[in-house]
Amino acid sequence: MSDALRDDLSELARLFATHAAWQRELGALELPHEGALPVARPVVEAAPPPAPSIPPPVTAPASAPVVVAAPARLEPPTLVRPAAPPPVVRALFGEPAVAAPAPRISAGPPLQGEARVGALAVIQDEVRGCTSCRLGAARRNTVFARGNPFARLCFIGEGPGEQEDKQGVPFVGPAGQLLDKIIVAMGLSPEDVYVVNVVKCRPPNNRVPEPDEMRTCTPFLVRQLDLVRPEAIVALGRTAVGFLLDSKDSMSRMRGKWHTYEGIPVLPTWHPAYLLRTPEAKADTWADMKVVMARLGIPVPTRGGSASG
Ligand code: SF4
């Protein structure tokens, strides 16, 4: 072999090695062969995509059974819970803190004006459509609230009775009429106070709402109180006291004294329906209302109709 041919072959081998290295860099797994090299295409304007054509149906040979692959089953995702800290970590840093229950009255200032009225209307709409507990099945109307959404004083009863269910307004039956007399005796008008119940639908035969019914319904009341934020609440009877104060103590021990619901002073007193059955207890209620009036700075009317400090 001549020197010139050897040089040519050596140069060719070097060029080939360079080309092979370049191909590997591009990810090629084997050397290109004839026809596999990309062909430069002329640049043309992109033509609109052709209309989709419907492929002819594929018919399997008569003898071959058609096997349809079963769709892959989707397993529900596995929830990965954070592992509990190992004992040595707990020993060093203590047990993880238990989250305190969320406060039921927001920290910020209450909504004012139309914003508050609108927010209450939203809740009322939700209540109207609610069938979340069994009381929703037999009701004629939901019973949301009556009175002043900007009231300083709120009265909370147990649940709607027959008249309330009929009219969709709380405390409009005989017990409600007695409540209005008490409110007027305090020197207020029914439009000065906000009146509401623990549950919004009438329990059958006026029975006491079951614990699960109260649990389901009271988030509405919580939201109402968060919006109205009265300066004081009068809890009318055992059911309202039980919910607001989470207490099983007797009414005779609780009534007439101040307690607190989420920072709002609560004074328990007899339910007006109880007063209708037990008129002698009216004196207790009047004594309780005088405690409320003193707290709110409302002058106590004397027997002659004038007010005393
Ligand atoms: Fe809904 Fe309350 Fe009526 Fe039950 S009582 S259906 S929770 S609005």
Side-chain angles (χ1 to χ4, degrees):
M1 186 185 296
S2 68
D3 288 341
L5 184 56
R6 189 178 296 111
D7 288 343
D8 283 345
L9 283 174
S10 157
E11 177 61 12
L12 200 57
R14 191 186 64 75
L15 288 173
F16 182 78
T18 305
H19 181 74
W22 176 65
Q23 287 288 313
R24 269 198 305 277
E25 274 178 29
L26 293 179
L29 299 176
E30 59 186 11
L31 290 173
H33 52 83
E34 190 180 4
L37 288 173
V39 178
R41 294 170 188 273
V43 178
V44 292
E45 284 216 7
S53 60
I54 301 172
V58 177
T59 45
S63 56
V66 178
V67 179
V68 179
R73 211 171 125 220
L74 293 178
E75 295 294 341
T78 308
L79 292 178
V80 180
R81 296 180 190 285
V88 64
V89 174
R90 295 209 299 270
L92 284 172
F93 298 104
E95 293 294 331
V98 176
R104 299 193 275 188
I105 297 289
S106 317
L111 291 179
Q112 298 298 337
E114 284 302 311
R116 184 184 304 188
V117 174
L120 285 167
V122 168
I123 305 172
Q124 185 166 11
D125 270 354
E126 288 176 35
V127 167
R128 244 184 234 120
C130 179
T131 52
S132 298
C133 82
R134 65 182 79 81
L135 298 183
R139 71 170 180 233
R140 278 181 285 191
N141 288 295
T142 54
V143 177
F144 187 65
R146 73 167 161 97
N148 186 347
F150 302 93
R152 299 175 64 203
L153 181 60
C154 177
F155 288 87
I156 301 182
E158 178 179 286
E162 187 186 4
Q163 284 305 314
E164 290 77 16
D165 179 52
K166 213 179 210 172
Q167 299 184 40
V169 181
F171 282 95
V172 288
Q177 287 157 20
L178 178 55
L179 176 63
D180 280 352
K181 281 187 188 162
I182 294 168
I183 292 167
V184 170
M186 295 170 76
L188 301 170
S189 128
E191 284 71 44
D192 291 330
V193 299
Y194 192 70
V195 181
V196 69
N197 280 313
V198 170
V199 293
K200 313 298 189 206
C201 300
R202 183 191 181 197
N205 303 316
N206 295 344
R207 66 159 167 78
V208 176
E210 299 286 350
D212 64 317
E213 295 160 353
M214 287 175 55
R215 260 196 312 278
T216 311
C217 199
T218 45
F220 292 126
L221 173 60
V222 168
R223 289 163 65 196
Q224 285 173 283
L225 293 176
D226 188 23
L227 288 165
V228 176
R229 307 248 194 122
E231 287 174 41
I233 293 172
V234 174
L236 299 167
R238 181 71 257 146
T239 301
V241 169
F243 167 67
L244 291 168
L245 305 178
D246 196 20
S247 165
K248 291 191 169 33
D249 216 347
S250 72
M251 276 300 291
S252 359
R253 287 168 59 91
M254 302 281 286
R255 60 151 283 270
K257 300 186 196 96
W258 287 109
H259 306 262
T260 307
Y261 163 83
E262 299 287 324
I264 302 173
V266 175
L267 191 121
T269 195
W270 303 117
H271 193 285
Y274 174 77
L275 298 181
L276 290 174
R277 298 193 301 270
T278 322
E280 59 273 22
K282 286 181 183 174
D284 288 346
T285 294
W286 183 237
D288 297 346
M289 292 307 101
K290 287 202 272 190
V291 174
V292 173
M293 293 157 77
R295 176 133 202 161
L296 295 180
I298 300 169
V300 178
T302 57
R303 278 177 182 272
S306 58
S308 70

